[in-house]
Amino acid sequence: MNPCTAVALLPPPEHVVRLAAPGSRPEAGYVLCELGDGHDGQHAALLWDDDTTGEGVWVRWNAGRATLAGLAWCPAFDARGEDACGLFAGHPSAHDWDVSDPVLTAETAFLASQYPHLFPESTEGGGQRGPR
């Protein structure tokens, strides 16, 4: 499944703007939706893993509004039982191992052929996930 192609431009939080040096306003940043193409509901991107709560902090957005939310991790594992889904519990669409960006897959395959020592996972299990 291809990834969703939604992008959101997020302005810097007001507390970050207040901490910035005079005359140097922080720039907006962008996030890419991590869900599968054609998903239901809001778009979502992981911002960071909160070790204190065991949740991920996600930005969820739709047409005009973005919110931050601490969400539990999806409990699913792949068929080998080795990789946990990197999305939030109850996410719409496929698990993250079923969402594959064709450009990233092609780039990874090329780089793995040129630099196999950097991609040991690509040669062992046949996967194209790249270095971690």
Side-chain angles (χ1 to χ4, degrees), residues 1-129:
M1 167 180 280
N2 287 333
C4 178
T5 58
V7 178
L9 189 63
L10 302 176
E14 193 56 41
H15 68 277
V16 173
V17 172
R18 286 193 305 268
L19 293 172
S24 63
R25 181 175 172 82
E27 294 183 23
Y30 70 91
V31 291
L32 305 172
C33 184
E34 296 183 35
L35 302 173
D37 191 32
H39 65 82
D40 293 331
Q42 294 180 310
H43 301 289
L46 177 66
L47 297 179
W48 68 85
D49 184 357
D50 187 347
D51 293 332
T52 62
T53 64
E55 297 177 330
V57 177
W58 293 80
V59 59
R60 307 284 314 270
W61 76 93
N62 56 22
R65 179 179 157 99
T67 58
L68 300 183
L71 301 173
W73 294 104
C74 177
F77 278 82
D78 67 355
R80 298 172 302 181
E82 295 176 2
D83 286 327
C85 179
L87 299 173
F88 54 91
H91 60 83
S93 81
H95 295 294
D96 72 344
W97 55 78
D98 291 326
V99 178
S100 177
D101 181 338
V103 173
L104 181 59
T105 300
E107 290 171 344
T108 302
F110 173 77
L111 291 171
S113 72
Q114 300 297 308
Y115 308 98
H117 62 286
L118 297 176
F119 296 83
E121 294 172 359
S122 296
T123 57
E124 292 171 6
Q128 297 294 324
R129 292 186 72 124

